[in-house]
Amino acid sequence: MIDQGAPPHHDASAASSPGFAARLMRRKPVERLVAEGGQGEGGSLRRSLGLWQLTMISIGATLGTGIFVVLGEAVPKAGPAVTLSFVIAGLTALFSALSYAELAGTIPVSGSSYSYAYATMGELIAWVCGWCLILEYGVSVAAVAVGWGEYLNELLDGTIGVTLPAALSAPPGDGGIFNLPALIVVLLAMTFLLGGARESARANTIMVVVKIAALVLFCAIGVQGFRSGNYEHFMPLGMAGVSAAGATLFFSYIGFDAASTAGEEAKNAQRDLPRAIMLSLVIVTVLYVLVAAVAVGARPWRTFTDSEASLAQIMTDVTGQSFWGTLLAFCAVVAIASVVLTVLYGQTRVLFAMSRDGLVPKVFSKVHPKTGAPRANTLIVSLFCGVLAAAVPLGRLAAATSIGTLLAFALVNVAVVVLRRTRPDMRRTFRVPLSPVLPALGFGFCVWMMGSLSTVTWVVFGVWMAVGLVFYFVYGQRRSRLATPDPSQVRTHQK
């Protein structure tokens, strides 16, 4: 006989074993995400970054190889109207940046778009987003490190007339045996990161100031060779050319999301993260447009064929001295080094957040008590990226970083709308204007650009995602911290 007055019996096994679909869709409450901010295995991250440092992290990850190599690729597509292409690409990036700014101020944690998706669209989508970020950051570090070696050779040639042999400056399959410079720049970045976020931010700030000064110097010298006749046929290839160049240039803006990975090390994350994201995008866009306008004004657009040396050649042509080209090569070495540092930082913090949630091994969330940095995480990621850059020809894999980034951006635009509807009461230090229109435009532009990528890129991306899903279902889904009840809720229920 059943005692009607007895409290209802809770089947612990049933409560802890939701259906398969429910496990895929489980969300991590925003309050829990924020409450766990900074907490790792054996220690906590330290809040030491202000608005200035956060802005420099975002600029450091964005302003690098793009402006130094992109003109040679984009100008032949758009002609002098490449300045308009930069504006269009900047506006496209702005739509996603607005969504990032709102979510960074609302959910100030290290996981960036991974954490935003976890709070709004469920664990499986969050895993997909996090796996995309691992591809974006990890392969980007390797690809950028390879470019650093090329500029280092240019600098050595211009200063002491010596270059590294191909055997030591390219990976197997690309004419070499081992890319030593690529490994060196990753290890240098690792050294700064092991010292803690404050020390890394200080080094990055110095490097960012150097590369901004270099681009300002280029504008000051290049404008002396300005010829208005170079702008007579402003749009020789029509709007189709402007759009094609804009799609190419969009990837020069990728990196502003790096600031959102510093959410748990910012002194006032809710106030400063949105400001840092928007401020960095404005600064980068202004610099891009100015450099493009001066470059095209100083050189006929049909002569832009050498993508790696166009800025240096312009400075040499205007001044008649090779010194300026060598100086620009030095600044390019500094610029690319700061990209390696900030992108590597973002990679470690995304893995930190995923590890804390149980989706990847705990070693990635262990924090050193003295420096407040995830040392084991940093060592593993740095060595992996360094070896990848030094010993593996990236080829088409590097192009897959673009599609991974675009998918992450698209999901962020969806997440901001979902959170507006599910949690309209939450405090937001920044709000996307005209929502859901602007997030919808951001999502649409990302999908459009994804569709313009090659079939080979899609195949590589598909293989990467298949590997990620296997890892999730074999490891992450079972070890997720959401697979077990929140300890605080268990204690409350027992009382």
Side-chain angles (χ1 to χ4, degrees), residues 52-65:
W52 173 251
Q53 291 92 340
L54 293 170
T55 304
M56 292 299 102
I57 288 174
S58 188
I59 294 176
T62 308
L63 191 64
T65 53

Side-chain angles (χ1 to χ4, degrees), residues 136-391:
E136 172 194 350
Y137 286 125
V139 180
S140 291
V141 168
V144 171
V146 171
W148 186 83
E150 295 174 358
Y151 277 105
L152 179 63
N153 257 340
E154 290 186 21
L155 177 61
L156 292 175
D157 185 42
T159 52
I160 60 177
V162 175
T163 58
L164 294 173
L168 294 178
S169 58
D174 285 348
I177 299 175
F178 193 80
N179 194 331
L180 184 61
L183 177 61
I184 289 175
V185 71
V186 174
L187 294 181
L188 285 174
M190 179 189 74
T191 303
F192 285 116
L193 291 174
L194 289 175
R198 179 183 296 176
E199 290 72 17
S200 303
R202 184 179 295 117
N204 173 67
T205 298
I206 294 172
M207 290 187 282
V208 169
V209 170
V210 169
K211 62 185 176 182
I212 289 178
L215 294 176
V216 172
L217 178 64
F218 167 80
C219 292
I221 293 177
V223 75
Q224 299 175 30
F226 190 91
R227 300 291 182 271
S228 59
N230 291 336
Y231 276 93
E232 285 184 358
H233 302 287
F234 182 69
M235 200 180 296
L237 303 176
M239 276 304 299
V242 174
S243 299
T248 300
L249 294 171
F250 174 78
F251 303 110
S252 299
Y253 289 89
I254 290 174
F256 64 80
D257 56 318
S260 65
T261 65
E264 296 172 24
E265 291 163 287
K267 295 177 182 178
N268 191 337
Q270 289 188 308
R271 182 195 68 188
D272 292 340
L273 282 177
R275 295 180 180 181
I277 291 172
M278 300 310 301
L279 182 58
S280 65
L281 188 61
V282 170
I283 292 173
V284 167
T285 302
V286 170
L287 281 171
Y288 281 171
V289 173
L290 282 176
V291 170
V294 170
V296 175
R299 187 177 183 182
W301 69 273
R302 294 183 183 276
T303 64
F304 281 82
T305 56
D306 187 351
S307 62
E308 291 187 3
S310 55
L311 297 187
Q313 287 179 354
I314 289 172
M315 294 182 75
T316 300
D317 293 343
V318 170
T319 62
Q321 301 176 9
S322 61
F323 165 78
W324 298 107
T326 302
L327 177 62
L328 194 69
F330 166 77
C331 294
V333 168
V334 174
I336 297 173
S338 75
V339 176
V340 173
L341 175 63
T342 50
V343 174
L344 193 63
Y345 169 85
Q347 171 74 294
T348 59
R349 270 41 180 189
V350 169
L351 281 169
F352 176 87
M354 296 177 73
S355 173
R356 185 174 56 205
D357 292 334
L359 301 184
V360 297
K362 288 184 179 180
V363 65
F364 291 101
S365 57
K366 289 184 177 180
V367 177
H368 193 274
K370 183 178 180 180
T371 62
R375 280 195 169 183
N377 181 343
T378 302
L379 283 169
I380 294 171
V381 172
S382 300
L383 292 176
F384 175 80
C385 291
V387 172
L388 183 67

Side-chain angles (χ1 to χ4, degrees), residues 94-102 278 413 416-417 420 428-442:
L94 176 63
F95 294 134
S96 294
L98 289 170
S99 294
Y100 263 100
E102 176 169 328
M278 300 310 301
N413 283 294
V416 75
V417 175
R420 283 275 191 102
R428 291 169 169 82
T429 55
F430 177 86
R431 299 177 71 91
V432 179
L434 302 178
S435 180
V437 176
L438 293 188
L441 287 174

Side-chain angles (χ1 to χ4, degrees), residues 114 118 123 127 354-355 357-361 471-472 475-477 480:
Y114 155 77
Y118 212 165
E123 187 171 278
W127 170 264
M354 296 177 73
S355 173
D357 292 334
L359 301 184
V360 297
F471 186 91
Y472 170 71
Y475 181 93
Q477 181 189 207
S480 169

